Amino acid sequence: MVSISRMESVKEKRRRDVAHNYTECNRDQLYLLPLSMKEWLPEDHLAWFLIDAVGQMDLSAFHAAHRNDGRGQKAHHPEMMLAVLLYAYCQGERSSRKIERLCQESVPYRIVAADTTPDHCAFARFRQRHAKAMKSLFVEILRLCAEAGLVKAGKVNLDGTKMKANASLAANRTEKGLSEEIERMLAEAEAKDTEEDETFGKNKRGDELPEGLRTRESRRMRLQEARERLEQERREAEEAQRRKLEERARKEEESGKKMRGRPPRSVEAVGQEQGKRKANTTAPETRILKTRSGYIQGLNAQAVCTDAQIILAADVMDQENDQGLYHRMMEQAQESATAALGVEEGKINLGRADAGYCNEVDLEKECDHEILMATKKDWKRRKQMREEPPLRGRIPKSLSAMERMERKLRTKRGSKEYRKRSQTIEPVFGQIKSGRGIDAFYGRELVCARGEWNLICGTNNLLKLFRSLWAARN
């Protein structure tokens, strides 16, 4: 019950506000009828759009992870959880704890969550549990964009961006450092076992192991995984160098002359150089990546988009550069375009990529679409186009694959077509990293990062679809 003094103060305040013609602000008002959520937000709000979009998707991959016999504790509905995550990622919010708080405080989040409040553990486990299913979600979103007429797969653009991982640069160790740390941890474990045998007797168990010892054991497994990766990379590098030396020796024997140029390094020198490489003990699948602002511990995120900035394929790689990824990403893009548009309309005719993907092997490999791939950095290519006139005439067949590509890019058509690459795929990364503030992955495993990248790129397509529909209505 409202006290008399408070009622008097409210009446005085209302009399004082009459002259200013303010709207009434009364938080003690009681409602006689229940409110409808449909009145909380306008019909053209992003929240309603995402709810309708999720309702049109085939989420059988998400439902398959739950039992269908009606037994056990009730789980949150996958459609609701997915809609909340999609809305959060569209807003650039990925923290499960912040999403939990927003489901309690924010009107759009409450609507998308159907006025329920899943805790942060539910969101984190859902994202981790359905990491592989996010690929099917990406295709479903692409299908919705195709139905709206936004997907035209004729000409596509490929590029990669460095994404931070949930790991520190300080957690990197060399192969020698990893071996020493593993031996030290094994010695500590053996000393602990000896101490417990003396205390409780041999083959007898005392209490549960302390938490610290269990943590050291899991950390030792991560160290072992990181060391095995470095050993495998060193063996592969030594084997590649051995084959290179054998091929060089064979050519010199056939010609009877020494080959020109600097002699290649020995296998031992390559092995020593590989021994200096480092692996991360927190997230062994991540890599040390060089960016414009310095070095980061992260992963290489790849994307293929159309000229309308609709992403056709998204993947995450555990390698430092883009070499050897062109055909792999184009195959994924072709598969997604075919699933969304069909065989004929989903045919890719032209693929553009920067110099980071360029190598003789990929250029010589047969494919069913035309390739425009830079052979040098873009600023060098632009400088050359300003200083030298475009080339004309047929391309000589005697040139190598890279020389033919360089000549193609210097023609008027090649230069005009390739110029569109930086105007399409690079703004997409800018909208994701600068516009929405998403520049890092939450998961430490590669499979989790791939699932999150599909979610990030899927929300990019959803935002494009939402804005195109909104523009058409207005």
Side-chain angles (χ1 to χ4, degrees):
M1 180 178 292
V2 181
S3 64
I4 297 176
S5 60
R6 184 178 177 186
M7 291 178 63
E8 292 176 352
S9 63
V10 171
K11 291 180 180 179
E12 292 176 0
K13 185 174 182 296
R14 288 177 179 174
R15 284 197 298 269
R16 185 172 63 252
D17 292 343
V18 168
H20 296 282
N21 197 24
Y22 292 146
T23 59
E24 184 177 2
C25 182
N26 182 13
R27 296 182 178 87
D28 296 323
Q29 175 66 47
L30 298 179
Y31 293 94
L32 300 179
L33 296 175
L35 286 174
S36 171
M37 281 190 179
K38 295 182 179 179
E39 299 176 0
W40 291 6
L41 291 175
E43 293 183 358
D44 58 351
H45 196 274
L46 177 63
W48 296 118
F49 165 77
L50 289 178
I51 293 173
D52 294 338
V54 172
Q56 299 295 321
M57 298 178 188
D58 179 11
L59 303 180
S60 56
F62 293 86
H63 291 290
H66 299 273
R67 58 191 306 169
N68 58 359
D69 56 3
R71 301 175 62 183
Q73 186 177 1
K74 290 185 177 181
H76 294 290
H77 202 289
E79 289 187 11
M80 181 272 292
M81 297 291 289
L82 199 56
V84 173
L85 284 178
L86 288 173
Y87 185 79
Y89 272 73
C90 285
Q91 303 298 320
E93 187 57 72
R94 297 177 299 146
S95 171
S96 56
R97 285 177 170 81
K98 290 184 179 179
I99 295 175
E100 176 190 358
R101 177 173 55 81
L102 289 169
C103 286
Q104 301 172 357
E105 301 174 356
S106 174
V107 169
Y109 281 89
R110 288 184 62 183
I111 290 177
V112 178
D115 210 16
T116 60
T117 55
D119 61 9
H120 63 274
C121 293
F123 288 115
R125 290 168 184 165
F126 183 88
R127 188 163 46 189
Q128 183 178 13
R129 185 180 190 180
H130 300 286
K132 294 183 179 180
M134 293 298 177
K135 178 67 175 179
S136 63
L137 172 69
F138 176 82
V139 176
E140 286 297 311
I141 295 173
L142 188 62
R143 182 179 60 82
L144 293 179
C145 294
E147 291 177 358
L150 296 182
V151 183
K152 295 181 180 179
K155 301 177 181 179
V156 298
N157 310 273
L158 168 64
D159 203 358
T161 184
K162 309 294 194 305
M163 297 285 287
K164 297 176 185 176
N166 190 6
S168 172
L169 279 170
N172 287 288
R173 302 287 186 275
T174 62
E175 184 178 348
K176 181 180 178 181
L178 288 169
S179 300
E180 292 175 352
E181 193 163 352
I182 291 173
E183 291 175 0
R184 179 180 59 80
M185 297 184 71
L186 290 175
E188 289 180 0
E190 185 177 358
K192 184 67 177 178
D193 291 339
T194 303
E195 179 185 349
E196 290 180 348
D197 287 343
E198 294 176 354
T199 303
F200 305 111
K202 201 168 185 179
N203 299 327
K204 290 185 180 180
R205 183 174 180 268
D207 202 354
E208 292 291 334
L209 288 176
E211 184 68 24
L213 187 59
R214 292 202 299 270
T215 303
R216 286 199 299 270
E217 177 64 22
S218 62
R219 184 164 179 260
R220 186 183 69 83
M221 296 299 295
R222 291 199 303 271
L223 293 174
Q224 182 70 23
E225 182 181 350
R227 185 177 69 173
E228 290 175 356
R229 180 178 74 80
L230 290 178
E231 291 176 349
Q232 179 68 19
E233 290 180 354
R234 177 172 54 81
R235 288 193 296 267
E236 291 176 355
E238 290 176 348
E239 181 62 27
Q241 189 67 11
R242 188 178 292 107
R243 289 196 300 267
K244 183 177 180 180
L245 291 174
E246 291 175 355
E247 180 66 17
R248 182 184 177 93
R250 184 185 62 80
K251 290 181 179 180
E252 289 179 347
E253 185 178 356
E254 291 177 354
S255 62
K257 299 179 181 179
K258 291 286 185 180
M259 295 184 67
R260 300 178 62 182
R262 181 182 299 178
R265 295 171 297 170
S266 63
V267 176
E268 292 76 13
V270 172
Q272 292 177 0
E273 182 180 351
Q274 288 291 320
K276 299 178 182 179
R277 290 175 61 85
K278 296 181 178 181
N280 195 274
T281 59
T282 304
E285 292 178 310
T286 61
R287 297 292 186 270
I288 301 176
L289 305 177
K290 185 179 180 181
T291 65
R292 293 180 179 179
S293 57
Y295 289 92
I296 63 170
Q297 191 72 34
L299 291 166
N300 187 355
Q302 299 285 315
V304 180
C305 79
T306 65
D307 287 350
Q309 298 182 352
I310 299 295
I311 299 177
L312 294 178
D315 205 348
V316 179
M317 309 299 178
D318 58 348
Q319 65 183 62
E320 293 87 348
N321 52 51
D322 300 330
Q323 285 292 302
L325 298 180
Y326 177 82
H327 291 286
R328 178 176 176 178
M329 291 303 303
M330 284 299 172
E331 289 173 0
Q332 293 187 29
Q334 183 61 76
E335 182 180 352
S336 298
T338 302
L341 296 171
V343 178
E344 296 183 1
E345 295 184 3
K347 179 71 171 62
I348 294 177
N349 301 318
L350 174 66
R352 310 183 186 99
D354 62 15
Y357 298 87
C358 187
N359 59 77
E360 287 282 351
V361 176
D362 282 352
L363 290 177
E364 291 177 353
K365 186 176 180 179
E366 294 185 4
C367 61
D368 54 357
H369 65 268
E370 183 183 2
I371 300 176
L372 280 180
M373 186 182 297
T375 58
K376 60 185 68 174
K377 292 185 179 295
D378 284 352
W379 69 270
K380 292 183 178 180
R381 191 186 61 81
R382 288 193 293 266
K383 180 181 178 182
Q384 184 183 41
M385 293 299 295
R386 289 194 301 267
E387 297 176 351
E388 301 178 10
L391 297 178
R392 305 176 69 178
R394 293 185 177 181
I395 300 176
K397 295 183 179 180
S398 60
L399 300 180
S400 65
M402 291 187 67
E403 290 173 339
R404 291 197 301 271
M405 182 58 63
E406 171 66 21
R407 185 179 176 90
K408 181 191 292 187
L409 289 173
R410 290 183 60 187
T411 62
K412 286 186 176 180
R413 175 186 173 276
S415 177
K416 181 180 179 180
E417 283 291 344
Y418 181 79
R419 195 180 300 122
K420 297 177 182 178
R421 186 202 67 84
S422 61
Q423 303 169 3
T424 52
I425 185 64
E426 291 182 5
V428 170
F429 292 147
Q431 293 158 13
I432 292 174
K433 302 178 80 170
S434 299
R436 288 192 278 163
I438 303 177
D439 61 352
F441 294 125
Y442 262 75
R444 289 176 174 172
E445 297 180 355
L446 184 60
V447 62
C448 295
R450 283 173 173 164
E452 190 173 6
W453 184 238
N454 277 293
L455 186 59
I456 293 169
C457 293
T459 50
N460 171 82
N461 292 347
L462 279 175
L463 287 171
K464 299 288 184 185
L465 177 59
F466 171 71
R467 288 163 184 160
S468 67
L469 296 176
W470 185 89
R473 285 196 299 267
N474 294 276

